[in-house]
Amino acid sequence: MAMRFVKTEILSSSDGLSHGESKTLETEEVLQAKRAQQTSGVKTLFEQLEAQKEKAQEAYDAKTKLIFAPPRSLESDDVEFFAAEERKRRLVADARDRDVSLERLPRSPRLQEID
């Protein structure tokens, strides 16, 4: 249904200058508009804007809560994976250190004769 403006009051003046008096109209058109508004549950513009504002504020609060939330803890699978990776890294580093230390050892005289 298309909403349209329905005139409900007429301003009047006794002296022709000030329009402080108003006369309320109770025509059939006004009564129909009031009944239609009550039965359809139409909210006023202010109520609609407030509802939209509250919805936008809730969305903003949800995003802000995610941004400033404390970091999640690691799951047990993640902890196991990182521990395994650390063990592999240590094994590779130990093997490399052993190879370097073997190269630095003086050769035995028997091996030097072969060269």
Side-chain angles (χ1 to χ4, degrees), residues 53-113:
K53 184 178 175 182
E54 289 173 9
K55 189 184 292 185
Q57 185 66 37
E58 288 172 4
Y60 174 79
D61 290 343
K63 287 180 184 177
T64 305
K65 208 178 270 187
L66 289 176
I67 291 171
F68 294 107
R72 296 185 305 148
S73 61
L74 294 176
E75 296 177 1
S76 62
D77 295 339
D78 295 333
V79 171
E80 290 173 15
F81 172 76
F82 289 124
E85 289 296 314
E86 182 64 23
R87 282 191 299 273
K88 288 178 189 176
R89 189 188 62 76
R90 284 186 190 154
L91 287 173
V92 169
D94 289 344
R96 187 180 58 238
D97 291 344
R98 257 185 275 122
D99 290 344
V100 168
S101 65
L102 288 176
E103 288 177 4
R104 291 185 180 168
L105 286 177
R107 293 186 172 194
S108 67
R110 200 167 173 198
L111 290 175
Q112 289 178 353
E113 290 174 5

Side-chain angles (χ1 to χ4, degrees), residues 31-42:
L31 295 175
Q32 277 182 341
K34 285 182 182 179
R35 277 190 298 249
Q37 186 177 11
Q38 289 172 350
T39 58
S40 66
V42 174

Side-chain angles (χ1 to χ4, degrees), residues 6 9-12 38 43 47 50 61-62 66 110 112:
V6 178
E9 291 187 0
I10 297 177
L11 293 176
S12 61
Q38 289 172 350
K43 295 180 181 178
E47 292 170 342
E50 284 295 314
D61 290 343
L66 289 176
R110 200 167 173 198
Q112 289 178 353

